[in-house]
Amino acid sequence: GAVVSQHPSWVICKSGTSVKIECRSLDFQATTMFWYRQFPKQSLMLMATSNEGSKATYEQGVEKDKFLINHASLTLSTLTVTSAHPEDSSFYICSAPHRGGEKLFFGSGTQLSVL
Amino acid sequence: AQKITQTQPGMFVQEKEAVTLDCTYDTSDPSYGLFWYKQPSSGEMIFLIYQGSYDQQNATEGRYSLNFQKARKSANLVISASQLGDSAMYFCAMRDELIQGAQKLVFGQGTRLTINP
């Protein structure tokens, strides 16, 4: 079946540094990918829609300069948390639609901890 | 705006029993899709089942079935013969809009299901 690979699974970084998270569709192409954030014991909140070859679309309240999204190819989207702070600590998870979008497949997620 | 509501923060069920997880939704769009995902402690989101608003029959996938009551705007997940491995968070989600053939999902608050041996 379709697989979405996300790396790293977890990362610990110092405040002020930048962290890049990769999301790859392994056996299918995805012109669109979605990035979600999930705080402990809460639901998934959509952050942005990544579009191959064009700018990402951000949800209201999400800082574009803080969360940089690049969808450089049909199989890769990256989320860079710039100048990370402790309040950015969260679980980040990407998803990609397969075959017309009826099914969304998710990556395994990235747990970010900013010290 | 579309909205998904899961009113059960937690559910405790005895192994081998059936369990129903509630989900209600609100939308003015005549065309929509409803999803259920399972999230174990590892964090991954596992797709379980999908129901389209125009589907005539309730969706089924193995031990999972979706009790779709369109007039009541509910899409409850039924898990038959529960197993210990079913213990996880369960999220109901609705397709928000179609973007380039893809789907942006809005998620409910989730229900934590615990299966007791």
Side-chain angles (χ1 to χ4, degrees):
Chain A
V3 176
V4 175
S5 175
Q6 184 173 343
H7 292 282
S9 298
W10 57 271
V11 58
I12 301 173
C13 69
K14 292 182 179 180
S15 185
T17 60
S18 295
V19 174
K20 179 184 283 188
I21 303 170
E22 291 189 349
C23 181
R24 293 180 184 273
S25 55
L26 294 187
D27 55 358
F28 66 100
Q29 295 181 334
T31 57
T32 302
M33 290 186 180
F34 301 103
W35 287 95
Y36 290 85
R37 179 165 60 181
Q38 184 180 28
F39 290 108
K41 298 184 179 180
Q42 293 188 24
S43 188
L44 280 73
M45 297 299 295
L46 181 67
M47 298 175 64
T49 302
S50 172
N51 305 300
E52 188 270 334
S54 63
K55 291 183 179 180
T57 306
Y58 290 82
E59 295 300 303
Q60 190 172 8
V62 178
E63 300 176 60
K64 301 179 183 180
D65 296 332
K66 167 67 118 175
F67 300 99
L68 299 180
I69 290 175
N70 188 319
H71 198 143
S73 74
L74 288 171
T75 60
L76 174 64
S77 174
T78 61
L79 167 67
T80 301
V81 183
T82 62
S83 186
H85 291 285
E87 58 265 29
D88 298 323
S89 298
S90 185
F91 187 69
Y92 294 87
I93 190 165
C94 66
S95 69
H98 185 248
R99 289 189 179 178
E102 184 171 291
K103 286 185 179 181
L104 265 182
F105 288 93
F106 283 81
S108 54
T110 298
Q111 182 63 52
L112 171 64
S113 296
V114 184
L115 304 178
Chain B
Q2 297 175 327
K3 185 178 179 181
I4 291 282
T5 303
Q6 293 179 254
T7 58
Q8 305 156 310
M11 288 276 288
F12 294 85
V13 174
Q14 210 64 26
E15 189 180 8
K16 298 182 183 178
E17 290 184 350
V19 56
T20 298
L21 304 182
D22 295 340
C23 173
T24 58
Y25 60 92
D26 186 24
T27 181
S28 57
D29 191 344
S31 177
Y32 51 89
L34 297 159
F35 301 76
W36 276 93
Y37 284 86
K38 172 184 178 181
Q39 187 179 42
S41 56
S42 58
E44 61 188 305
M45 293 289 283
I46 302 170
F47 168 81
L48 295 179
I49 198 166
Y50 167 82
Q51 179 84 44
S53 59
Y54 293 118
D55 293 344
Q56 294 297 314
Q57 294 185 332
N58 287 345
T60 60
E61 292 281 353
R63 293 188 298 115
Y64 305 107
S65 61
L66 200 150
N67 185 1
F68 182 45
Q69 298 188 38
K70 198 170 182 177
R72 298 178 61 182
K73 293 188 176 180
S74 73
N76 299 338
L77 176 70
V78 179
I79 305 174
S80 63
S82 59
Q83 303 170 357
L84 296 178
D86 293 333
S87 294
M89 279 291 287
Y90 288 80
F91 290 98
C92 181
M94 168 181 275
R95 184 185 70 212
D96 191 359
E97 60 183 85
L98 218 57
I99 304 172
Q100 298 180 19
Q103 301 192 63
K104 185 168 66 172
L105 297 183
V106 176
F107 286 84
Q109 304 92 318
T111 296
R112 179 165 294 282
L113 175 64
T114 303
I115 307 298
N116 296 317

